[in-house]
Amino acid sequence: MTRFPWRWRRRPPLDPALQTRRERLPEPAAFAAANQRLVVLDLETSGLDLQRDHLLSIGAVVIEEGAIDFAQQFETTLRREHGKPGASVLLHGLAPSALAAGVEPAEGLLAFMEFLGDSPLLAFHAGFDRHMLARALKDDLDLRLQHPFLDIAELAPLLCPEAGLERGGLDDWVAHFDLYVPQRHHASADALVTAEIALILFSRARRRGFEDLPALVEACARRRRRQQTPSF
């Protein structure tokens, strides 16, 4: 298992300028109308271990007024100088040299939170992204992540049961919707294709009578509770 020594270092005091920016971050908004600003997030990490692996890069795009706003995109690679390359490098391609050339984690994370603003988040397998982002924010900014997430990996089988992809991955849904994806396992590219899938799903949701985002969030929560209820 790849180990990253920076995880265990004491966090240095936050620069006063960063503290001021952190204090100006807005309170997160709840899911509301379908046309509100949503940030679609994808992360690249050093691996899949929720406790030992680390956030390496962030990619995000914006859905607003029911469309992808290509004028609002975010991408950053965090500086990680002491990690040894692991198997995940074969997927995301972030070699140690790229990580060493990245931005300081506190600066990169704060820049993302400023881009995010008060917007709710969408992600594919959102539980993983939420945990990794929350841990990085706590470690590097002493900031608690409170923004709500909607998991596209939960929403897709809810609205498209005929696909037979109950536990399908992002590649499975890309193939199902016949989407053209020139690049995968890159945070910005994966955020964009997740946004494209989200728009397809939102269109299907409207046809099924879901008029706003809270209704979709609640439908996903009900489905999750049913799956967690033991059958006798």
Side-chain angles (χ1 to χ4, degrees), residues 50-156:
L50 291 172
Q51 303 306 319
R52 293 184 180 272
D53 285 305
H54 298 274
L55 175 57
L56 303 181
S57 71
I58 305 171
V61 299
V62 168
I63 293 176
E64 194 164 18
E65 298 295 336
I68 298 171
D69 184 353
F70 289 97
Q72 299 187 68
Q73 300 187 57
F74 181 89
E75 182 176 10
T76 192
T77 297
L78 305 182
R79 182 174 299 165
R80 303 298 196 191
E81 296 181 350
H82 301 284
K84 296 180 180 179
S88 61
V89 171
L90 297 176
L91 290 177
H92 55 58
L94 291 171
S97 58
L99 299 176
V103 301
E104 288 295 331
E107 172 60 40
L109 289 162
L110 186 54
F112 171 70
M113 295 304 291
E114 291 170 333
F115 172 85
L116 175 61
D118 66 353
S119 300
L121 285 154
L122 309 180
F124 198 93
H125 291 147
F128 178 81
D129 284 355
R130 179 195 288 119
H131 182 96
M132 297 301 285
L133 179 59
R135 223 185 76 204
L137 289 170
K138 181 62 178 175
D139 288 349
D140 292 303
L141 282 176
D142 195 23
L143 180 66
R144 181 184 175 194
L145 179 64
Q146 301 184 70
H147 291 66
F149 277 75
L150 177 60
D151 192 347
I152 301 303
E154 288 186 341
L155 187 62

Side-chain angles (χ1 to χ4, degrees), residues 124 150-162 173 176-177 194-208 210 216:
F124 198 93
L150 177 60
D151 192 347
I152 301 303
E154 288 186 341
L155 187 62
L158 171 70
L159 295 174
C160 305
E162 73 285 353
W173 288 104
H176 176 72
F177 292 125
T194 301
E196 292 174 354
I197 291 172
L199 290 178
I200 294 171
L201 296 174
F202 291 164
S203 177
R204 296 196 176 200
R206 288 191 294 272
R207 293 200 297 269
R208 292 184 56 177
F210 293 98
L216 284 179

Side-chain angles (χ1 to χ4, degrees), residues 183-196:
Q183 185 177 20
R184 276 281 283 113
H185 302 295
H186 180 280
S188 293
D190 287 356
L192 179 58
V193 73
T194 301
E196 292 174 354

Side-chain angles (χ1 to χ4, degrees), residues 26-42:
E27 292 294 318
F31 284 104
N35 63 349
Q36 80 180 116
R37 182 181 189 267
L38 305 169
V39 172
V40 187
L41 170 73
D42 188 82

Side-chain angles (χ1 to χ4, degrees), residues 3 7 9-10 18 23 28 30 39-40 43 59 71 75 85-86 103 111 127 129 155 179 181 195 230-231:
R3 295 179 182 271
R7 175 69 179 93
R9 293 183 174 185
R10 182 183 296 275
L18 295 183
E23 291 165 2
V39 172
V40 187
L43 307 178
E75 182 176 10
V103 301
D129 284 355
L155 187 62
L179 298 175
V181 181
S231 56

